[in-house]
C-alpha cells in the first residue's frame, strides 16, 4: 500500500512541478523592465545527448551538463566544460554560425552567466522568443521548464531558482525532426536549430498584468473594448487604461478571475496600409505601467470581397520565409524585419504571407508600422501525423501561443492553420478542430489555410476541399508553368472555385538564378521566371472573386530539397530577390501589376 501511495504522490508532484513550469508567455514582454540575455553563450555539441542520458538511456537527475560542473581538484573526472567550450552569438541558428553544424540536427547545449540584484517581492521571468525545436531549461542547475515548438515564445518563473549576484542558465536545444512533430520530418526550408530569437529576464511585481486584449468592439468603429488579465486571480483591483490621444483614461476593476473588462466610446483614426496609425496606450496597475502601440481597424468578408474598415481591399502580397537577408540563416532582429518588409513595400505590397510558421515579433510589429497586413501561420505543413493526439495537442498549443503573442497586432488579419495538406478524414478532423479553436481564441480575425487544386483536366482547374466551410478565405497554391502545365497553357487555363468566399492565391511562382540570362523557355533564367509571372498574373486576374495574391516568394531561401549544383546549392531560387538582395526581372513585373491593382468593387462588374 505504502509503495503505491508514494508512487501516486511522486506522480502528482511531477505533474504539479510540470504545471508550475507552465506559465503562458507574458504579453508585450519588451515593455516590461528586463535585462537582455542576448550575446555570447558557450555551447557544447552533444549528438548522443550524453549530457542528459546515462549509458542506459536513463535521464540523469543530477550529473547532466545542466549542472555546469567545474573540475575542482586534479583527480576529479569531469568530461565537459562550458568555460573552455566555444561561444556563439545568440540569437542565432547554429547552422549558419558554425560551419561544422551546417547540416547538424540534434542537441546543442548553451550556457550563459548573468548577474542579478534582486528586489524583495519581485518575480523574475526568463523569456525566450523561440527555441527550435525542443528546449529544456535549467537555472543554477535546477530545472526551470521545457517547451516544444520552434517558432513561438515561452517563459518560466525563475524567482525561486535565482540568487543575488552570479547565476547561470543552461538550455538543451534539440532540433531533431520526428514524424509526429509539427512540422513533421519533411519541409521545404532549412531546419535552423538553436536559440533563434531574443532571450531576456523580466522583473515583475508579485501581481502583474500578464495579458490583455485591446481592439475595436467587433466591427464597430466607435467603441474600443477588451480585457486586462492579472497573473493572479484577485478581484476588486483597479487597472487604468489610457489612450491619451483619444482622451481616454478608463478605470476598470478585476473580477474574481483577475480579469478586468472595459468598453469605451471612441472614434480612433483607423489603421490601414495607407495610414498605419498607431496609438500610444498605457496600462497602469499599482506602481507599474505597460506601454504599447496599438492600431484600430476592422477586417471582415462580404461574399467574395475582403473588407478592411468596411471597404473592399485587394491583398497585394508576397510570401516571406524567416530567412536573413544577405547573411542567410534564421532572421530574428528588427533590422532583418526592416530589410525584408522594406523590400515588400518597394514591391508595392500592402500584405505579406509570413510562411510557414509564426515569425518573430519584430516582423509583426514592423509590419504594423509600415502598413502591411499579415497572414500568420502555424507549421501544420504537408504530411502531419493526423491520427496522433500528441501531434494535435502540439499544433493547438502552437496556434494558441501564436494568437496569444499577436492578438493586439492590428497588422495580423489572417490566422492560417495549415499548408498543402493531403485530403482525408483524419486531416479534416484535425484541421476542423484547429479552425474552431482559432475562432474560439480570436473571433475577430479571418481564418484560412493554403489548400491545393484538387483536379486539373483539360485546362480546367477545380478546387474542391472539405475544409472550405472552416475558413473565411479560400486560399490555394498553384504552380502552373513550374511544376505542371506550360507557360503557353497558362493563357487558356480555367479555374473553378465553387465557394462564395474571397479567393487568395497563397503561392505561385518559379525559380531563377539571379544574373542567369537566356531564352524565355530556359529553366532558372530570369527570363523564364519573368515570363512565368506575366502568364500567371494574366491567368489569375480572370478568377472571379480574386481578392489577393502572395507569390512564392520574396527572397531565395535555404532548403535541403534544392540540390542542383551552381543553380540551387541548397537554396530555393523562387525569390523575386536573391539572398544577396539582387532584384530579378520578375520583381518588376509584380511591382508594375501591384502599381495598377485596386480592389474590385461591385460597380466594376458593370464595366
Ligand atoms: C509549396 C510549399 C512551399 C515550397 C514551394 C516550392 O507550395 O508550400 O513551402 O517552398 O511549394 O516548391 O518552392
Amino acid at each position: 500500500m505504502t509503495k503505491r501511495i508514494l508512487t501516486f504522490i511522486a506522480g502528482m508532484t511531477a505533474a504539479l512541478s510540470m504545471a508550475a513550469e507552465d506559465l503562458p508567455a507574458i504579453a508585450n514582454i519588451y515593455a516590461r523592465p528586463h535585462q537582455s540575455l542576448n550575446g555570447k553563450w558557450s555551447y557544447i555539441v552533444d549528438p548522443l545527448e550524453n549530457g542528459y542520458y546515462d549509458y542506459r538511456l536513463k535521464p540523469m537527475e543530477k550529473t547532466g551538463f545542466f549542472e555546469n560542473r567545474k573540475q575542482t581538484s586534479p583527480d576529479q573526472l569531469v568530461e565537459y566544460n562550458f568555460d573552455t567550450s566555444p561561444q556563439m552569438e545568440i540569437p542565432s541558428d547554429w547552422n549558419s554560425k558554425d560551419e561544422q553544424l551546417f547540416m547538424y540536427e540534434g542537441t546543442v547545449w548553451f550556457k550563459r552567466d548573468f548577474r542579478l540584484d534582486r528586489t524583495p517581492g519581485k518575480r523574475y521571468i526568463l523569456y525566450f522568443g523561440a527555441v527550435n525545436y525542443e528546449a529544456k531549461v535549467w537555472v543554477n542547475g535546477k530545472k526551470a521548464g521545457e517547451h516544444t515548438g520552434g517558432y513561438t515564445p515561452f517563459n518560466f518563473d525563475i524567482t525561486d531558482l535565482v540568487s543575488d549576484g552570479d547565476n547561470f542558465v543552461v538550455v538543451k536545444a534539440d532540433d531533431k525532426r520526428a514524424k509526429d512533430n509539427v512540422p513533421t520530418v519533411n519541409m521545404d526550408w532549412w531546419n535552423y536549430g538553436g536559440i533563434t530569437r531574443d532571450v531576456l529576464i523580466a522583473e515583475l511585481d508579485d501581481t502583474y498584468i500578464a495579458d490583455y486584449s485591446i481592439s475595436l468592439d467587433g466591427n464597430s468603429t466607435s467603441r474600443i473594448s477588451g480585457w486586462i488579465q492579472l497573473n493572479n486571480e484577485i478581484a476588486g483591483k483597479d487597472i487604468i487604461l489610457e489612450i491619451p490621444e483619444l482622451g481616454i483614461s478608463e478605470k476598470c476593476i478585476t473580477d474574481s478571475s483577475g480579469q478586468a473588462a472595459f468598453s469605451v466610446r471612441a472614434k480612433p483614426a483607423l489603421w490601414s496600409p495607407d495610414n498605419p496609425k498607431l496609438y500610444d496606450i498605457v496600462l497602469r496597475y499599482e506602481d507599474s505601467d505597460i506601454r504599447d502601440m496599438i492600431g484600430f481597424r476592422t477586417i471582415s468578408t462580404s461574399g467574395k470581397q475582403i473588407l478592411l474598415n468596411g471597404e473592399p481591399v485587394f491583398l497585394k502580397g508576397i510570401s516571406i520565409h524567416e530567412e536573413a537577408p544577405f547573411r542567410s540563416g534564421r532572421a530574428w532582429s528588427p533590422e532583418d524585419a526592416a530589410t525584408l518588409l522594406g523590400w515588400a513595400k518597394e514591391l508595392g505590397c500592402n500584405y505579406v504571407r509570413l510562411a510557414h510558421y509564426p515569425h518573430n515579433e519584430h516582423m509583426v510589429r514592423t509590419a504594423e508600422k509600415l502598413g502591411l497586413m499579415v497572414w500568420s501561420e502555424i507549421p501544420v505543413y504537408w504530411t502531419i501525423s493526423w491520427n496522433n493526439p500528441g501531434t494535435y495537442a502540439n499544433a493547438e498549443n502552437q496556434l494558441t501561443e501564436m494568437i496569444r503573442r499577436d492578438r493586439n497586432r492590428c497588422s495580423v488579419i489572417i490566422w492560417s492553420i495549415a499548408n498543402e495538406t493531403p485530403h482525408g478524414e483524419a486531416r479534416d478532423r484535425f484541421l476542423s478542430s484547429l479552425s474552431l479553436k482559432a475562432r474560439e481564441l480570436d473571433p475577430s480575425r479571418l481564418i484560412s489555410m493554403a489548400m491545393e487544386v484538387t483536379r486539373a483536366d483539360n485546362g480546367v482547374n477545380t478546387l474542391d476541399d472539405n475544409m472550405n466551410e472552416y475558413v473565411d478565405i479560400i486560399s490555394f497554391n498553384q504552380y502552373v508553368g513550374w511544376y505542371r502545365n506550360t507557360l503557353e497553357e497558362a493563357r487558356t487555363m480555367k479555374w473553378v472555385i465553387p465557394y462564395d468566399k474571397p479567393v487568395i492565391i497563397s503561392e505561385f511562382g518559379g525559380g531563377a538564378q539571379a544574373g542567369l540570362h537566356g531564352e524565355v523557355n530556359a529553366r532558372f533564367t530570369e527570363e523564364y521566371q519573368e515570363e512565368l509571372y506575366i502568364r500567371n498574373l494574366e491567368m489569375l486576374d480572370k478568377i472571379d472573386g480574386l481578392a489577393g495574391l502572395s507569390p512564392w516568394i520574396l527572397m531565395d531561401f535555404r532548403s535541403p530539397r534544392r540540390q542542383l549544383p551552381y543553380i540551387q546549392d541548397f537554396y530555393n531560387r523562387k525569390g523575386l530577390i536573391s539572398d544577396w538582395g539582387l532584384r530579378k526581372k520578375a520583381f518588376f513585373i509584380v511591382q508594375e501589376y501591384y502599381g495598377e491593382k485596386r480592389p474590385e468593387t461591385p460597380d466594376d462588374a458593370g464595366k
Side-chain angles (χ1 to χ4, degrees), residues 234-284:
I234 310 175
K237 289 292 185 185
D238 293 354
I239 301 177
I240 310 292
L241 162 66
E242 286 178 7
I243 311 179
E245 202 177 331
L246 295 175
I248 291 173
S249 178
E250 178 78 5
K251 180 167 83 172
C252 35
I253 299 172
T254 58
D255 62 17
S256 58
S257 73
Q259 184 171 100
F262 63 86
S263 181
V264 292
R265 288 190 58 72
K267 199 87 178 122
L270 300 181
W271 181 92
S272 71
D274 297 333
N275 178 29
K277 170 68 180 168
L278 299 174
Y279 284 88
D280 288 318
I281 67 112
V282 185
L283 298 176
R284 298 188 193 284

Side-chain angles (χ1 to χ4, degrees), residues 413-475:
I413 59 167
I414 297 169
W415 300 123
S416 167
I417 57 173
N419 179 74
E420 292 193 350
T421 52
H423 292 201
E425 203 182 310
R427 167 261 200 182
D428 290 357
R429 263 199 315 276
F430 192 105
L431 295 184
S432 52
S433 302
L434 273 184
S435 171
L436 295 172
K437 183 67 180 176
R439 185 80 74 207
E440 173 203 322
L441 290 168
D442 180 2
S444 76
R445 287 180 172 86
L446 304 177
I447 292 168
S448 192
M449 54 184 274
M451 300 172 175
E452 289 178 298
V453 169
T454 35
R455 270 199 321 283
D457 36 29
N458 306 323
V460 178
N461 299 282
T462 304
L463 184 121
D464 172 12
D465 194 315
N466 299 345
M467 286 298 104
N468 72 84
E469 58 184 287
Y470 290 97
V471 296
D472 300 304
I473 297 176
I474 303 291
S475 308

Side-chain angles (χ1 to χ4, degrees), residues 88-367:
M88 188 180 292
E89 198 66 35
I90 295 299
S92 69
D93 58 282
W94 61 62
N95 314 76
S96 58
K97 277 294 182 307
D98 180 336
E99 60 190 23
Q100 291 181 311
L101 302 180
F102 177 56
M103 287 275 190
Y104 177 75
E105 282 192 357
T107 286
V108 177
W109 293 83
F110 293 90
K111 189 272 292 186
R112 160 92 198 220
D113 298 321
F114 63 93
R115 283 192 59 79
L116 207 54
D117 298 320
R118 293 175 303 166
T119 304
K122 294 286 188 184
R123 310 209 65 78
Y124 293 89
I125 308 294
L126 175 59
Y127 178 96
F128 293 85
V131 172
N132 187 41
Y133 171 80
E134 182 205 62
K136 296 184 194 296
V137 180
W138 293 263
V139 171
N140 297 330
K142 290 166 280 186
K143 187 74 173 295
E146 314 191 351
H147 181 267
T148 298
Y151 305 96
T152 46
F154 58 96
N155 49 212
F156 307 115
D157 187 333
I158 60 170
T159 307
D160 301 334
L161 306 180
V162 289
S163 46
D164 288 332
D166 294 331
N167 297 268
F168 65 89
V169 52
V170 173
V171 178
K172 179 185 182 291
D174 182 356
D175 79 336
K176 269 194 307 300
R177 289 164 298 117
K179 179 80 187 74
D180 295 341
N181 283 1
V182 179
T184 181
V185 289
N186 64 334
M187 68 279 263
D188 191 19
W189 69 85
W190 207 265
N191 182 31
Y192 289 124
I195 305 174
T196 51
R197 293 179 187 166
D198 292 326
V199 188
L200 53 88
I201 294 179
E203 180 186 75
L204 301 169
D205 293 332
D206 191 56
T207 295
Y208 56 87
I209 293 174
D211 196 5
Y212 53 90
S213 174
I214 303 172
S215 67
L216 287 175
D217 188 355
N219 280 328
S220 156
T221 56
S222 56
R223 179 163 286 278
I224 292 172
S225 64
W227 46 264
I228 303 157
Q229 178 70 57
L230 297 178
N231 65 313
N232 290 329
E233 296 180 346
I234 310 175
K237 289 292 185 185
D238 293 354
I239 301 177
I240 310 292
L241 162 66
E242 286 178 7
I243 311 179
E245 202 177 331
L246 295 175
I248 291 173
S249 178
E250 178 78 5
K251 180 167 83 172
C252 35
I253 299 172
T254 58
D255 62 17
S256 58
S257 73
Q259 184 171 100
F262 63 86
S263 181
V264 292
R265 288 190 58 72
K267 199 87 178 122
L270 300 181
W271 181 92
S272 71
D274 297 333
N275 178 29
K277 170 68 180 168
L278 299 174
Y279 284 88
D280 288 318
I281 67 112
V282 185
L283 298 176
R284 298 188 193 284
Y285 174 65
E286 294 188 345
D287 55 9
S288 74
D289 297 349
I290 301 171
R291 296 173 185 279
D292 203 346
M293 294 181 70
I294 290 191
F296 298 100
R297 55 105 188 100
T298 67
I299 191 75
S300 57
T301 63
S302 170
K304 291 179 179 292
Q305 292 186 318
I306 298 173
L307 305 180
L308 175 69
N309 300 326
E311 295 299 319
V313 64
F314 186 87
L315 303 185
K316 302 187 282 188
I318 190 72
S319 294
I320 301 178
H321 255 305
E322 204 178 36
E323 184 82 43
F326 308 113
R327 68 174 190 277
S328 288
R330 186 58 73 220
W332 63 271
S333 66
E335 293 74 19
D336 291 336
T339 301
L340 292 170
L341 298 177
W343 285 345
K345 290 290 283 184
E346 181 191 333
L347 189 61
C349 296
N350 62 5
Y351 163 72
V352 290
R353 177 188 179 200
L354 300 186
H356 282 296
Y357 37 76
H359 287 213
N360 64 80
E361 189 170 345
H362 303 301
M363 281 290 274
V364 178
R365 285 183 176 271
T366 302

Side-chain angles (χ1 to χ4, degrees), residues 188 356 381 419-420 477 479 483 507 552 562 572 574:
D188 191 19
H356 282 296
Y381 180 94
N419 179 74
E420 292 193 350
N477 303 342
Y479 279 91
Y483 291 124
E507 285 181 35
W552 192 259
R562 309 297 168 177
N572 183 316
K574 295 190 182 71

Side-chain angles (χ1 to χ4, degrees), residues 75-90:
D75 64 345
Q76 189 186 14
L77 174 63
V78 179
E79 295 185 87
Y80 71 95
N81 184 336
F82 278 111
D83 298 339
T84 56
S85 294
Q87 292 196 316
M88 188 180 292
E89 198 66 35
I90 295 299

